[in-house]
Amino acid sequence: MGTVAARRRGRRVAVIALVVAAVVPAVGAAAVVWDNSGTSLASVRAERRGIQYLGQTVKLLVSVAQAQSAAVRSLPPAQPGLATAVAAVDATGLPGDPDPGAGTLWAQIRPQVLALSGNPATGAAAYRAYSQVTDLLLQQITAIDDASGLVPDSRADAYHLIDALTVLLPDMEVQAGRYDDQVTLTEPTAGTMQPGTAAATAQIAVLRDRIAVDAHAFVTALNKVFRTTGSATLGPHLLGDVDLVNTDINALAPTASAIDEALIMRSAPTVSQERKAFDPAVQVLETAGLDELDKLLQVREAGYDRQRLEVAALLGGGAMLAASSLGWLWWRRGPGPDVEQEPEQHRRQVSSRRSGQRPQPQPQPEPQPPADTAPLALPDRHP
């Protein structure tokens, strides 16, 4: 009996070990995939949140640059005002972002932006006041890139598109505004040159050169995007806007060396007119580019969601298989094939123990008296 029970336990242990050996590695691998996909999913969602911040922040940057040009010329600011643009940034949720590089920095920059609306400065004083705020907004854009994980994005198309839209294009917008304003401040009035014309001319040359360098890097980054992307819509949706920006920026600031003696000082009205064409093109491209970037991230987010769903289904199926197998082993108490050959008396004792009854001793047969045996008769012998 002990041998039969030991064999039965051995079979159960072997089956349990087989189930554990099959399920545990699969569960471990699935857990690793689940954790990795969860981390990647959180990163993609942070990037998409950063895109929402950037869209309105870049629009605010353009508004501040335009307000700077109006203040330099003693003109009323364009509508809608800075307060409206600030409210649009607030609506994205940026003030509540816990990252010091995003929400906390915005809390410091926001009052300085609003203070510009009440600043009565004009001319060079306005140029300096507004330039400080545009520098802070460029810093805010960089901080959003870093905090949301947009800058270190590993995908080539997304990386170069982020570089073009959130680093190069905003900087071109700021430098174009400063270039326009410096030309206006330096232009002679009533046939006389403004004080400090030589230094201002050098600054204009530097600004113009910086715009041209940004424009070249911008085109290079977008060419890499179009070569590497797998998106069917990114190229067709952006090529026209990119061409428009390139045309406007080349008209505003043709490529030239900052020390080129042949650098021609263009008239302020001409530069301002070309800059007015450049600003809307920047906003159109920025909006369209961020939309396409968000589409790339949406596809990636959907892939991670699908991966996690598949892992959850695998884990659920494995858990059900393991539970059903162990349950079957737990409740299966019937005798194995080796027990069928056990004596009837042992089977009754096992059955009695399972039912909680004391086994009844089997009646022993009464001994029978030996039968009378007839005496052996020897055969007669005849001589």
Side-chain angles (χ1 to χ4, degrees):
M1 292 191 304
T3 303
V4 173
R7 280 201 300 268
R8 187 187 303 173
R9 286 193 299 270
R11 285 196 301 271
R12 291 178 179 175
V13 170
V15 174
I16 292 174
L18 182 62
V19 171
V20 171
V23 171
V24 169
V27 170
V32 172
V33 174
W34 177 272
D35 183 66
N36 291 339
S37 61
T39 302
S40 301
L41 186 60
S43 298
V44 170
R45 288 173 177 169
E47 290 184 69
R48 294 192 64 193
R49 188 165 56 251
I51 290 174
Q52 299 302 316
Y53 299 161
L54 287 171
Q56 296 302 325
T57 305
V58 171
K59 289 181 180 179
L60 173 61
L61 177 68
V62 174
S63 297
V64 172
Q66 292 174 346
Q68 170 183 303
S69 298
V72 166
R73 294 163 176 81
S74 301
L75 298 174
Q79 297 298 324
L82 295 181
T84 302
V86 169
V89 175
D90 290 341
T92 64
L94 178 59
D97 194 293
D99 193 283
T104 304
L105 181 60
W106 171 244
Q108 299 171 3
I109 296 175
R110 185 180 185 276
Q112 300 185 52
V113 176
L114 294 175
L116 292 175
S117 299
N119 191 337
T122 59
Y127 180 89
R128 289 189 295 270
Y130 280 82
S131 294
Q132 291 176 358
V133 175
T134 52
D135 285 339
L136 290 174
L137 287 173
L138 288 175
Q139 183 181 351
Q140 176 72 73
I141 291 172
T142 302
I144 292 173
D145 284 345
D146 293 337
S148 60
L150 283 166
V151 170
D153 194 292
S154 59
R155 306 292 179 93
D157 53 355
Y159 175 83
H160 294 297
L161 186 58
I162 292 164
D163 186 46
L165 295 176
T166 68
V167 177
L168 299 173
L169 192 58
D171 190 66
M172 275 197 294
E173 168 62 29
V174 170
Q175 304 312 321
R178 292 177 179 177
Y179 172 63
D180 179 21
D181 296 340
Q182 279 291 344
V183 170
T184 297
L185 291 171
T186 309
E187 189 174 46
T189 59
T192 61
M193 298 297 289
Q194 295 287 348
T197 300
T201 301
Q203 188 174 5
I204 290 172
V206 171
L207 288 170
R208 176 171 154 166
D209 184 68
R210 181 167 174 178
I211 294 171
V213 171
D214 279 350
H216 176 73
F218 176 76
V219 172
T220 302
L222 287 180
N223 285 337
K224 293 178 180 179
V225 172
F226 298 141
R227 287 198 304 266
T228 58
T229 186
S231 171
T233 62
L234 194 151
H237 288 179
L238 294 186
L239 280 174
D241 298 331
V242 171
D243 289 341
L244 183 60
V245 167
N246 285 335
T247 301
D248 292 337
I249 201 65
N250 288 330
L252 177 65
T255 302
S257 172
I259 59 174
D260 190 352
E261 295 181 357
L263 184 65
I264 300 175
M265 293 297 299
R266 306 169 69 195
S267 67
T270 301
V271 173
S272 296
Q273 189 64 31
E274 290 171 349
R275 189 271 183 94
K276 288 179 182 178
F278 176 66
D279 283 351
V282 168
Q283 296 197 62
V284 169
L285 178 57
E286 187 75 27
T287 301
L290 289 178
D291 286 344
E292 289 299 320
L293 178 59
D294 191 58
K295 290 178 183 178
L296 292 176
L297 296 177
Q298 281 181 6
V299 173
R300 205 183 302 178
E301 182 180 6
Y304 290 134
D305 280 330
R306 184 170 57 253
Q307 188 179 54
R308 287 171 70 83
L309 183 61
E310 293 171 354
V311 170
L314 176 62
L315 289 174
M320 291 179 61
L321 176 62
S324 59
S325 300
L326 295 175
W328 178 78
L329 289 172
W330 179 261
W331 293 105
R332 185 178 178 275
R333 299 297 182 90
D338 295 335
V339 185
E340 297 296 333
Q341 302 176 3
E342 294 177 352
E344 178 68 21
Q345 178 180 355
H346 176 68
R347 286 200 295 270
R348 288 179 180 177
Q349 291 178 352
V350 171
S351 176
S352 300
R353 282 197 296 268
R354 287 179 179 175
S355 61
Q357 298 176 358
R358 295 177 59 86
Q360 299 294 329
Q362 297 297 319
Q364 298 294 330
E366 296 182 0
Q368 298 293 330
D372 295 336
T373 56
L376 294 176
L378 297 176
D380 295 336
R381 292 185 178 180
H382 297 283

